């Protein structure tokens, strides 16, 4: 790999430094850490929350960290796939070997994903997309008053639903489902309703599952049935 740039021991500035150990490790992982069984596959992944503006300083969002989607993007890239990651605002570093497309709102994500969906062999929708956004966005900061206030909400586009309705031949579509009750039933319904090939369902009430933390407990649902997985790291799930 190429040397990193910066201030060098000889006093010059330029390319000639040892890359950071983390960078070296990423290259090693990609080179020898995984079987190359996804070479030639084009994978589109979404991750993180969306942010829906209320006014110039406030927005509605959720607790998604992006960790699950980022782990999937990395795993696919390590396995040789060409990966595009459409990501809402998150605090984690963009993964190497992946094309990252940052977006903010559900509408931005819809645009970014549908522009690229024809290209993708596999689409994995790990993002926690807002289902509703403020019906009007104030161009000025909203001032407080002593009265109560409320925000009118309207539906966002269902990106997964759209992708399912416009799926091309041979394309594999995977959605996520977070449930707090009737996990299997709700997730199986989602599989059919969204015309998806797989739903990764997690029960938010199970310890170690969901948004928070580095682990997940998922059930993989396909038309062939449900496969419950043990508690494992998000990397292993990916
Ligand atoms: N999703 C999407 N577009 C949206 C909302 C969600 O693509 N506007 C995707 C998510 O990325 C995830 C899946 O849909 O893959 C979640 O399914 P959804 O039915 O939207 O989940 P919930 O909102 O949790 O379902 P419900 O409110 O119906 O229980």
């Amino acid at each position: 790999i190429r040397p990193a740039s910066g201030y060098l021991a000889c006093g010059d500035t330029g390319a000639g430094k040892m890359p950071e150990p983390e960078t070296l490790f990423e290259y090693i992982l990609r080179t020898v850490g995984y079987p190359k069984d996804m070479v030639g596959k084009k994978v589109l992944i979404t991750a993180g929350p969306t942010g829906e503006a209320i006014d110039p300083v406030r927005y509605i969002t959720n607790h998604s960290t992006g960790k699950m989607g980022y782990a999937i993007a990395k795993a696919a890239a390590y396995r040789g796939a060409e990966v595009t990651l459409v990501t809402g605002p998150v605090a984690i570093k963009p993964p190497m070997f992946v094309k990252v497309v940052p977006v903010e709102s559900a509408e931005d994500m819809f645009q970014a994903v549908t522009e690229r969906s024809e290209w993708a062999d596999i689409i994995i929708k790990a993002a926690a997309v807002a289902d509703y956004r403020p019906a009007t966005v104030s161009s000025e900061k909203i001032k407080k008053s002593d009265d109560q206030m409320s925000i009118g909400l309207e539906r966002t586009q269902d990106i997964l639903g759209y992708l399912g309705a416009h799926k091309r031949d041979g394309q594999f579509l995977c959605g996520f489902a977070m449930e707090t009750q009737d996990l299997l039933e709700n997730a199986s319904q989602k599989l059919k309703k969204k015309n998806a090939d797989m739903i990764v369902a997690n029960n938010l009430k199970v310890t170690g599952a969901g948004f928070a933390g580095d682990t997940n407990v998922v059930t993989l649902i396909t038309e062939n049935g449900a496969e419950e997985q043990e508690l494992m790291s998000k990397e292993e799930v990916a």
Side-chain angles (χ1 to χ4, degrees):
I1 75 171
R2 292 181 174 282
S5 291
Y7 182 70
L8 308 177
C10 60
D12 274 355
T13 302
K17 280 167 56 140
M18 188 187 95
E20 290 301 320
E22 290 80 6
T23 307
L24 291 173
F25 185 64
E26 286 292 318
Y27 276 95
I28 291 166
L29 266 186
R30 188 180 66 155
T31 309
V32 299
Y34 288 75
K36 291 286 168 288
D37 54 359
M38 290 183 76
V39 172
K41 292 269 185 254
K42 297 183 170 71
V43 184
L44 177 61
I45 295 164
T46 70
T50 64
E52 310 299 329
I54 298 169
D55 70 11
V57 295
R58 306 176 177 103
Y59 63 101
I60 298 175
T61 189
N62 59 65
H63 289 298
S64 171
T65 59
K67 279 181 189 164
M68 192 61 246
Y70 275 56
I72 297 170
K74 278 180 152 186
Y78 292 148
R79 287 167 60 178
E82 196 184 324
V83 182
T84 297
L85 173 64
V86 176
T87 172
V90 296
I92 45 182
K93 270 209 281 189
M96 291 178 69
F97 320 122
V98 166
K99 182 172 182 230
V100 178
V101 181
V103 296
E104 189 79 30
S105 65
E107 181 56 29
D108 298 342
M109 187 172 279
F110 179 84
Q111 293 299 340
V113 168
T114 52
E115 270 167 31
R116 293 166 177 84
S117 57
E118 194 52 36
W119 163 86
D121 301 309
I122 299 171
I123 305 179
I124 304 175
K125 287 244 24 161
V129 187
D131 291 322
Y132 293 89
R133 68 171 158 242
T136 56
V137 181
S138 169
S139 58
E140 307 294 338
K141 180 173 173 256
I142 300 167
K143 287 295 205 187
K144 67 175 158 305
S145 70
D146 291 334
D147 299 332
Q148 287 207 359
M149 79 96 81
S150 59
I151 300 169
L153 300 175
E154 64 183 16
R155 282 292 305 268
T156 57
Q157 287 241 42
D158 181 345
I159 308 169
L160 184 63
Y162 180 94
L163 294 172
H166 296 85
K167 198 157 63 173
R168 68 160 167 80
D169 269 356
Q171 193 171 55
F172 186 90
L173 181 60
C174 171
F176 274 65
M178 278 196 163
E179 308 285 350
T180 52
Q181 53 190 355
D182 305 326
L183 175 88
L184 276 184
E185 199 182 310
N186 287 334
S188 306
Q189 272 174 15
K190 215 161 270 182
L191 182 78
K192 288 205 195 76
K193 201 170 124 204
K194 313 255 175 158
N195 193 28
D197 300 285
M198 180 158 83
I199 294 286
V200 182
N202 53 59
N203 185 339
L204 287 181
K205 297 225 165 125
V206 172
T207 314
F211 284 153
D214 295 324
T215 60
N216 214 347
V217 185
V218 301
T219 302
L220 304 178
I221 297 163
T222 64
E223 61 175 11
N224 301 324
E227 250 181 69
E228 205 180 324
Q229 310 289 315
E230 292 165 8
L231 173 81
M232 50 182 123
S233 71
K234 288 188 172 170
E235 282 67 33
E236 285 170 312
V237 175

